[in-house]
């Protein structure tokens, strides 16, 4: 009888031992990457929710270009739009669904476990924020397209404001950008540049609404210390008369002047920002229209140009006379939009507004010549260069095609 019990006892002991051990998953748990890329996206078919995607962005990693994890929000996709352009020191990243009028503050300090800190809609009397820039004190200064009091009028309101917000989503200060001297002008804040060295902020005015798309032609200069509006002025129409229309992204150049890209594919340069008479001058035009988010790296300005399905690089060594130094076409089916630079790995992420080539790529920039090239090592699980947002099962349990927009690297 004791001999018969032995196998039973051994089996029980083995079961007990195994039960005390951690259960191995089907795939080994991903280790936190040394460097990450955070992409703000939604459901291309607008049935699912907005989500944050985390991708391994370490070129030395065997998982370079692969998904680390994803974080689903409770916002049904309307129009996932801007994140901050660079990762803030706090690791609390602002990202919005613009048409939903909702902003999320995302804690991405642990790339394996990103989380939602909070979200907000209207703030400080203003609605529909577009862009977020960090101030020297660590807070965000955001552009809001509409004044709450007038946004539901028949005119939908032609002005908005700037709001300073902390990482907990609290209003620090808020000011209107309405200017009685420009009562008939479209003054919907779009993007901005912060120049703490001269106590100034420059903001652009351009609408996110199709029916107002061609109405924005102005910029504004503010005193950073008290957010006092100092100047509203028109951009230079140039000889063509259209390249200044819909001024969008403002970027500080290597000489301290501010360069602004327009939807009309112009580059305006604003000088004299610390004086009573700032001046905007159209200094370059790109082919076509619908030009997207530019990035300035050292003396080079990289511009997304849909008409050529790629990018054009300008050398700003002579800021009054930028010179084209290179072009990179991605493909006939690629419509470029977002760009963001990673100083740690010397790479640029680009996303598209196109459904025909729904891939995200990393680019390399030659810091001597300004030549762009695609990073061939950044590949998805399909083995192709770039990362695909076509239909797949995402880590947060949703299956569908992604709609990416803003993307930013970890510090």
């Amino acid at each position: 009888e004791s001999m018969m019990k032995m196998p039973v006892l051994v089996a029980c002991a083995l079961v007990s031992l195994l039960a005390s051990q951690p259960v191995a998953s089907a795939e080994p748990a991903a280790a936190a990457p040394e460097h990450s890329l955070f992409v703000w996206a939604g459901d291309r078919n607008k049935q699912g929710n907005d989500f944050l995607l985390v991708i391994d962005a370490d070129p030395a990693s065997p998982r370079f270009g692969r998904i680390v994890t994803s974080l689903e929000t409770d916002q049904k996709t309307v129009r996932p739009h801007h994140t901050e352009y660079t990762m803030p020191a706090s690791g609390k990243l602002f990202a919005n669904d613009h048409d939903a009028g909702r902003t999320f503050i995302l804690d991405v300090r642990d790339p394996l476990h990103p989380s939602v800190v909070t979200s907000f809609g209207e703030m400080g009397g203003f609605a529909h924020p577009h862009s977020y820039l960090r101030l020297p004190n660590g807070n965000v200064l955001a552009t809001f397209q509409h004044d709450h009091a007038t946004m539901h009028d028949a005119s939908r309101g032609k002005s908005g404001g700037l709001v300073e917000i902390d990482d907990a989503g609290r209003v620090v200060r808020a000011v209107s950008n309405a200017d009685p001297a420009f009562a008939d002008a479209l003054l919907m804040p779009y993007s901005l540049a912060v120049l703490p060295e001269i106590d100034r902020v420059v903001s652009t005015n351009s609408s996110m609404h199709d029916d107002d798309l061609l109405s924005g032609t102005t910029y504004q200069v503010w005193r950073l210390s008290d957010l006092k509006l100092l100047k509203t002025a028109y951009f230079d129409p140039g000889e063509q008369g259209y390249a200044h229309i819909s001024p969008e992204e403002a970027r500080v150049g290597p000489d301290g002047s501010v360069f602004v890209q327009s939807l009309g594919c112009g580059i305006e340069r604003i000088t004299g920002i610390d004086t009573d008479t700032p001046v905007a001058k159209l200094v370059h035009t790109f082919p076509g229209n619908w030009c997207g988010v530019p990035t300035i790296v050292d003396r080079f300005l990289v511009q997304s140009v849909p008409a050529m399905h790629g990018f054009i690089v300008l050398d700003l060594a002579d800021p009054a006379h930028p010179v084209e130094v290179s072009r990179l076409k991605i493909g006939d089916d690629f419509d470029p939009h977002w760009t963001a630079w990673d100083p740690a790995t010397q790479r640029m992420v680009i996303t598209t507004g196109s459904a025909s080539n729904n891939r995200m790529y990393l680019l390399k920039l030659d810091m001597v010549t300004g030549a762009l090239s695609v990073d061939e090592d950044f590949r998805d699980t399909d083995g192709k260069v770039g990362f695909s947002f076509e239909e797949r099962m995402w880590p947060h349990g949703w299956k569908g095609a992604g709609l990416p927009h803003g993307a930013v690297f970890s510090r």
Side-chain angles (χ1 to χ4, degrees):
E1 183 179 353
S2 61
M3 293 295 291
M4 292 176 63
K5 289 180 178 178
M6 187 62 73
V8 176
L9 292 173
V10 171
C12 290
L14 284 171
V15 170
S16 177
L17 178 64
L18 289 172
S20 68
Q21 302 301 309
V23 178
S25 59
E27 290 193 10
E34 292 294 324
H35 203 55
S36 303
L37 174 60
F38 300 92
V39 187
W40 181 239
D43 175 6
R44 182 166 291 279
N45 294 320
K46 300 186 177 182
Q47 299 302 309
N49 292 353
D50 294 344
F51 63 95
L52 181 74
L53 180 65
V54 185
I55 294 176
D56 190 327
D58 177 10
S61 169
R63 292 183 54 81
F64 183 46
R66 305 297 173 84
I67 296 175
V68 175
T69 191
S70 57
L71 169 69
E72 184 179 27
T73 72
D74 63 357
Q75 175 62 54
K76 184 175 181 180
T77 294
V78 185
R79 191 178 189 176
H81 203 56
H82 273 227
T83 62
E84 297 179 58
Y85 304 103
T86 59
M87 182 61 65
S90 67
K92 306 290 181 62
L93 182 68
F94 281 56
N96 71 41
D97 189 307
H98 185 272
D99 288 8
R102 190 175 180 197
T103 298
F104 288 87
I105 303 178
L106 307 166
D107 187 337
V108 298
R109 290 174 295 178
D110 178 356
L112 292 180
H113 304 97
S115 61
V116 175
V117 176
T118 189
S119 67
F120 59 84
E122 297 184 13
M123 183 161 286
F126 302 102
H128 290 268
H130 185 272
S131 294
Y132 314 97
L133 264 289
R134 291 284 165 166
L135 300 175
N137 63 10
N139 290 339
V140 159
L141 188 62
T143 54
F144 281 70
Q145 291 245 299
H146 300 294
D147 184 303
H148 169 75
T150 60
M151 68 174 289
H152 299 297
D153 290 353
S155 65
R156 198 176 45 229
K158 300 299 183 182
S159 67
L162 304 185
V163 183
E164 182 178 343
I165 310 163
D166 68 16
D167 275 340
R170 296 176 297 226
V171 175
V172 177
R173 51 183 176 166
V175 294
S176 170
N177 80 321
D179 187 338
F182 286 75
D184 296 327
L186 181 141
L187 301 179
M188 295 182 187
Y190 189 94
S191 185
L192 43 81
V194 177
L195 301 101
E197 297 82 4
I198 58 172
D199 193 28
R200 292 292 185 271
V201 172
V202 173
S203 63
T204 62
N205 293 310
S206 189
S207 177
M208 285 287 291
H209 305 285
D210 289 346
D211 51 348
D212 290 324
L213 208 55
L214 304 181
S215 300
T217 56
T218 64
Y219 67 96
Q220 294 177 295
V221 179
W222 310 73
R223 191 162 55 215
L224 173 59
S225 52
D226 60 0
L227 286 187
K228 176 180 174 60
L229 178 60
L230 303 176
K231 185 79 173 181
T232 303
Y234 288 104
F235 279 106
D236 173 20
E239 293 181 3
Q240 300 94 331
Y242 65 83
H244 66 308
I245 292 175
S246 293
E248 295 186 334
E249 302 292 342
R251 298 289 184 268
V252 180
D255 66 324
S257 61
V258 170
F259 292 82
V260 177
Q261 149 272 339
S262 73
L263 208 59
C265 283
I267 291 289
E268 300 265 354
R269 177 176 177 245
I270 307 173
T271 56
I273 297 167
D274 57 349
T275 73
D276 293 334
T277 55
V279 175
K281 179 70 174 176
L282 182 68
V283 294
H284 194 83
T285 56
F286 299 101
N289 48 38
W290 306 105
C291 284
V293 177
T295 293
I296 292 179
V297 184
D298 290 342
R299 73 176 198 271
F300 298 114
L301 184 150
V302 182
Q303 178 64 58
S304 52
V305 183
M308 60 156 292
H309 303 288
F311 301 84
I312 293 178
V313 181
L314 302 182
D315 188 334
L316 304 178
D318 179 355
H321 305 92
V323 176
E324 180 181 323
V325 291
S326 73
R327 295 188 177 199
L328 176 66
K329 180 178 179 178
I330 302 299
D332 289 336
D333 58 352
F334 188 82
D335 291 325
H337 183 73
W338 180 274
T339 64
W341 177 249
D342 179 23
T345 65
Q346 301 282 289
R347 284 165 171 79
M348 180 175 292
V349 60
I350 60 172
T351 64
T352 176
S354 169
S356 54
N357 182 349
N358 197 14
R359 296 185 81 86
M360 176 179 68
Y361 299 90
L362 296 191
L363 305 182
K364 296 179 180 180
L365 175 66
D366 187 312
M367 303 303 292
V368 176
T369 66
L372 281 176
S373 60
V374 175
D375 186 341
E376 300 279 341
D377 295 326
F378 184 75
R379 294 173 182 256
D380 202 349
T381 52
D382 59 8
K384 298 178 182 178
V385 175
F387 181 89
S388 174
F389 280 88
E390 289 306 310
E391 183 173 304
R392 69 201 297 166
M393 180 62 72
W394 303 88
H396 58 276
W398 170 73
K399 185 177 183 181
L403 177 67
H405 200 96
V408 60
F409 293 93
S410 61
R411 293 173 71 87

